[in-house]
Amino acid sequence: MSTTQSERLRGLLEPLVSAAELDLEEIEVSRAGRRRMLRIIVDSDDGVELDACAELSRAISEKLDETDAMGEGEYVLEVSSPGADRPLTEHRHYVRATGRLVKLQLHESGELVARILGVDDEGLDLEVPGVKGRKPTTRRVAFDEIAKARVEIEFNRKDTKEEEA
């Protein structure tokens, strides 16, 4: 997708996404056979409900029908939330991942798997799991030390709400 088309779509759609109290994370236009695929990724601090995606999809569809932003050809519109394996790239992504286990690729010191305890403007406070029965340790990592970051999927972690019950 050209930068101008991307900027135009973002300018057109961002007010609709903001009105739904969501963040516009990504706009992607790709080919799907003869048609094009317009994928809109949205998120919020509380996650995104399926109904919110459906309502937003209708609003976006109406707005695109009013304009020529997608041109004359056919396209498929998909509005969804980011997948669990989405990279953490924005400050808000780290804030939303507080309490979650993340895999960090650090510029200088390799890979680190740790739980995010806190986030501020400079970086992350982490809990690094102990190895072979040792207690976990805390560690501070500045944002500029991080090359890549992703949430690690945990299948056996107890929910804190379950623990409190």
Side-chain angles (χ1 to χ4, degrees), residues 19-111:
E21 299 180 357
L22 298 170
D23 296 318
L24 180 57
E25 295 291 341
E26 187 177 337
I27 297 174
E28 177 186 317
V29 178
S30 59
R31 280 266 179 235
R34 292 184 191 153
R35 292 187 258 177
R36 290 170 295 155
M37 169 74 89
L38 173 59
R39 182 172 289 124
I40 310 292
I41 307 295
V42 296
D43 202 2
S44 81
D45 290 343
D46 301 320
V48 182
E49 301 265 331
L50 185 59
D51 290 343
C53 284
E55 286 178 36
L56 184 58
S57 179
R58 285 189 287 276
I60 289 172
S61 181
E62 287 176 19
K63 181 59 101 176
L64 292 173
D65 288 348
E66 294 171 5
T67 68
D68 65 344
M70 288 300 293
E72 294 297 316
E74 294 180 26
Y75 65 92
V76 175
L77 173 62
E78 177 184 303
V79 177
S80 66
S81 61
D85 62 344
R86 175 219 24 211
L88 304 176
T89 57
E90 302 285 335
H91 184 271
R92 67 178 178 264
H93 298 164
Y94 292 97
V95 171
R96 290 174 185 158
T98 299
R100 309 277 309 269
L101 196 64
V102 294
K103 182 187 280 188
L104 304 172
Q105 186 67 43
L106 303 176
H107 289 292
E108 308 238 344
S109 56
E111 195 172 89

